[in-house]
DNA sequence: CTCCTGTCCTGCCGGC
DNA sequence: TGCCGGCAGGACAGGA
């Protein structure tokens, strides 16, 4: 369930560990992920030096000095493990792609559920790649604010929760942070998206930014099988206000105290939504 | 266009 | 104890 914050943490860890590093080889142990990995990916990256990393929505991009590069999506169970030079590599089940670095280190992509994928994309044309062509604004950039969000929601009859999950509305928000942001903003997940306008849209935009920024600050978060891209084991059990807290007490957020009622779980378009029907209207 | 549902995949967990 | 069904969910295809 890596969403924007987790992907940002992975990107930062990769930057620290591998920016300027040489790729000596790429092993495709299992190329049939969500989409097949291009068979010529190892040939294109072999011998190249990594010149930049980028995050867009829930995707990490990596470019090399030739101008080639690749995009990585972690799906819902994808993990990047960085193994420093000199440290032993203990292969794990689902280590689908292994980057052999020139200094002897390794970068491993492990993804049990194989919802993730890697694809080739160049530094000059990544923005027109199919995943990004219609992608909405980066929530933590200046391109995202109340009026921008309001415009994206205008005319949409679908519930606001569903709209937030639409990557064309805003990039990088998944099920967890959609629930959290709506709670923080005090907006019911069941309201029609088109009715979230003006001050409501402003408040929701602020909440989206805040919930994502807080999660990045605390090192990314996820419920299960996520471990830090720097190789350290363990996952970051974030302190969620509503997500996965069905039946527990509403304890509020920040200045807004909890109402003492019980957090509910409802299902919207086949996905769990967690909310407080008293605090969210 | 928007909306909604089904699909992919594996590991985990609850129930019997 | 072991099996089995249900669930988790991001992105996308396809139908309404």
């Amino acid at each position: 369930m890596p969403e924007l914050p987790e992907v940002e943490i992975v990107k930062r860890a990769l930057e620290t560990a591998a920016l300027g590093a040489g790729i000596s080889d790429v092993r495709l142990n299992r190329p049939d992920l969500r989409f097949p990995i291009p068979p010529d990916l190892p040939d294109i990256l072999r011998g190249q030096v990594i010149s930049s990393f980028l995050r867009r929505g829930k995707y990490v991009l990596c470019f090399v000095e030739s101008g080639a590069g690749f995009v990585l999506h972690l799906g819902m169970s994808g993990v990047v493990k960085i193994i420093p030079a000199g440290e032993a590599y203990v292969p794990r089940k689902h280590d689908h792609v292994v980057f052999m670095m020139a200094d002897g280190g390794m970068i491993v992509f492990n993804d049990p559920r194989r919802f993730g994928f890697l694809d080739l994309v160049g530094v000059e044309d990544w923005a027109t790649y199919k995943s990004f062509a219609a992608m909405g604004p980066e929530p933590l950039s200046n391109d995202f604010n109340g009026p921008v969000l309001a415009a994206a929601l205008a005319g949409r009859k679908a519930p606001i929760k569903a709209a937030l999950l639409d990557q064309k509305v805003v990039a990088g928000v998944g099920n967890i942070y959609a629930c959290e942001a709506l709670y923080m903003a005090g907006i019911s997940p069941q309201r029609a998206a088109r009715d979230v306008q003006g001050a409501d849209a402003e408040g929701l935009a602020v909440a989206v930014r805040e919930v994502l920024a807080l999660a990045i600050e605390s090192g990314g978060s996820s419920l299960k099988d996520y471990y830090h891209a720097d190789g350290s084991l363990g996952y970051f059990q974030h302190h969620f206000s509503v997500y996965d807290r069905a039946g527990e007490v509403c304890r509020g957020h920040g200045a807004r105290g909890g109402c003492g009622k019980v957090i509910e779980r409802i299902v919207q378009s086949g996905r769990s939504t967690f909310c407080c029907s008293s605090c969210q209207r």
Side-chain angles (χ1 to χ4, degrees), chain A residues 28-105:
Chain A
L28 306 183
N29 296 330
R30 175 128 201 202
D32 58 326
L33 303 184
R34 170 111 213 257
F35 308 112
I37 299 176
D40 55 342
L41 183 138
D43 291 339
I44 288 169
L45 298 179
R46 191 178 297 119
Q48 290 290 324
V49 169
I50 295 174
S51 51
S52 61
F53 288 100
L54 188 70
R55 182 195 56 73
R56 177 80 170 101
K58 301 171 192 171
Y59 297 76
V60 179
L61 296 108
C62 171
F63 301 111
V64 295
E65 288 184 344
S66 67
F70 65 91
V71 58
L72 168 68
H73 194 287
L74 301 176
M76 69 169 285
S77 59
V79 158
V80 173
K81 187 166 190 184
I82 297 168
I83 299 162
E87 212 170 281
Y89 165 56
V90 182
R92 290 164 163 262
K93 200 177 177 183
H94 310 303
D95 280 355
H96 304 311
V97 184
V98 180
F99 292 83
M100 320 290 296
M101 308 308 290
D103 68 355

Side-chain angles (χ1 to χ4, degrees), chain A residues 130 181 228 253:
Chain A
K130 62 179 189 311
H228 204 291
H253 172 267

Side-chain angles (χ1 to χ4, degrees), chain A residues 8 16 32 51 53 55 91 108 114 148 168 171 199 206 219 224 266:
Chain A
E8 176 66 21
T16 303
D32 58 326
S51 51
F53 288 100
R55 182 195 56 73
V108 180
R114 308 208 338 267
V148 166
K168 291 191 282 295
V206 169
K224 297 187 181 81
I266 60 175

